[in-house]
Amino acid sequence: MTALSSHPSDILIAFDTIFEQCSIAILQNNTIIHTETVVGGRGQTEIILPMLDKALHTSNVDIKDVKAWAFNRGPGAFSGIRINTAMVQALSVANGAPCIGISSLHALAFMACKQENMTDGMHITALIDARQKQVYAGDFVVQNALPVAQNEYLLDYDKPIETDIVVGDVVDLVMTDAKKLRPNPTACHIAYLAYPLFLKGKTVTAAHALPVYLRDNAWKTLAQQAKNKK
């Protein structure tokens, strides 16, 4: 794909509904011009659309001027992934702008790099609770002060992790001697990770804006969780 040039109308809008929140960010030429985050994992479908309307109005941005839609593509909460994905697919079809999926684990590793003075070659393992005594895990190596993805996988709670830093809200569920960080990524971090990909033309159409679950039986897992709550 052909790389795109940065110009004043390079506007990207990012969403996150996976980290137990509804979060939106509007980025223009690598600068956040609007952001809002509402904490909570319920009623996200009803919350996120009004947030988008507010963001467009507040920033004086017309939907036709948005050049790309970025989203947290998972892994993480099944319902949150579906909301994120369905939102950008619909918006992409509506205005013809492409989509950019960003890993939730990458967002965590990105925050770790921003919070810590990390040198090249250091290792980060990002973690999100997958339930059923497992976590979603992502391994990253720091290059030029940024995390470069190596692998994403499911990991049992009792499996030891050898790394320099573990990051996420479930770092106490795993066995490790690494330094522990508990950052809270928002749509801003999704936007910052997506923008370089946009400039390189690394985007996809709505049909290829797909979620990543890591667990093949995601639908069954959701049903099991609902059953356990009764």
Side-chain angles (χ1 to χ4, degrees):
M1 287 176 282
T2 303
L4 303 178
S5 300
S6 174
H7 55 79
S9 61
D10 277 351
I11 294 174
L12 178 150
I13 297 185
F15 302 96
D16 172 59
T17 56
I18 292 178
F19 289 112
E20 293 296 320
Q21 63 190 2
C22 281
S23 186
I24 185 171
I26 299 181
L27 181 144
Q28 185 172 22
N29 296 340
N30 211 33
T31 298
I32 299 294
I33 62 173
H34 175 89
T35 185
E36 182 181 9
T37 297
V38 176
V39 178
R42 295 183 179 276
Q44 292 168 309
T45 304
E46 293 76 19
I47 295 172
I48 196 68
L49 284 173
M51 287 177 67
L52 173 60
D53 289 339
K54 176 184 175 182
L56 294 170
H57 177 76
T58 302
S59 305
N60 196 29
V61 171
D62 193 297
I63 195 170
K64 65 179 175 54
D65 296 324
V66 179
K67 294 298 188 294
W69 303 99
F71 68 107
N72 186 338
R73 52 86 163 158
F78 180 82
S79 58
I81 294 174
R82 288 305 306 154
I83 293 168
N84 254 352
T85 306
M87 174 80 112
V88 297
Q89 286 174 334
L91 291 168
S92 176
V93 170
N95 84 329
C99 305
I100 304 169
I102 299 297
S103 165
S104 53
L105 297 167
H106 199 171
L108 284 166
F110 178 70
M111 285 199 72
C113 281
K114 294 299 181 183
Q115 289 183 12
E116 298 292 312
N117 184 21
M118 302 189 69
T119 57
D120 283 2
M122 292 185 69
H123 291 258
I124 303 170
T125 299
L127 304 171
I128 295 175
D129 197 0
R131 313 299 179 185
Q132 300 183 26
K133 296 183 179 181
Q134 291 183 313
V135 294
Y136 301 116
D139 293 330
F140 299 83
V141 175
V142 178
Q143 294 182 12
N144 299 319
L146 292 172
V148 176
Q150 305 298 301
N151 193 22
E152 293 185 358
Y153 51 96
L154 278 166
L155 181 72
D156 294 338
Y157 285 174
D158 59 356
K159 292 291 180 65
I161 299 176
E162 294 185 7
T163 188
D164 296 306
I165 288 180
V166 290
V167 55
D169 62 356
V170 293
V171 292
D172 292 326
L173 295 179
V174 297
M175 298 174 59
T176 183
D177 295 324
K179 183 174 182 178
K180 298 177 179 180
L181 298 177
R182 300 171 181 81
N184 296 301
T186 68
C188 292
H189 303 96
I190 302 298
Y192 282 130
L193 285 169
Y195 189 61
L197 300 177
F198 166 73
L199 293 178
K200 295 175 182 178
K202 293 183 177 181
T203 61
V204 297
T205 63
H208 292 93
L210 302 176
V212 172
Y213 300 115
L214 290 188
R215 179 176 277 142
D216 293 333
N217 61 339
W219 281 102
K220 181 179 178 181
T221 301
L222 188 68
Q224 289 174 336
Q225 292 176 10
K227 183 178 179 180
N228 291 338
K229 292 179 181 178
K230 294 181 179 180

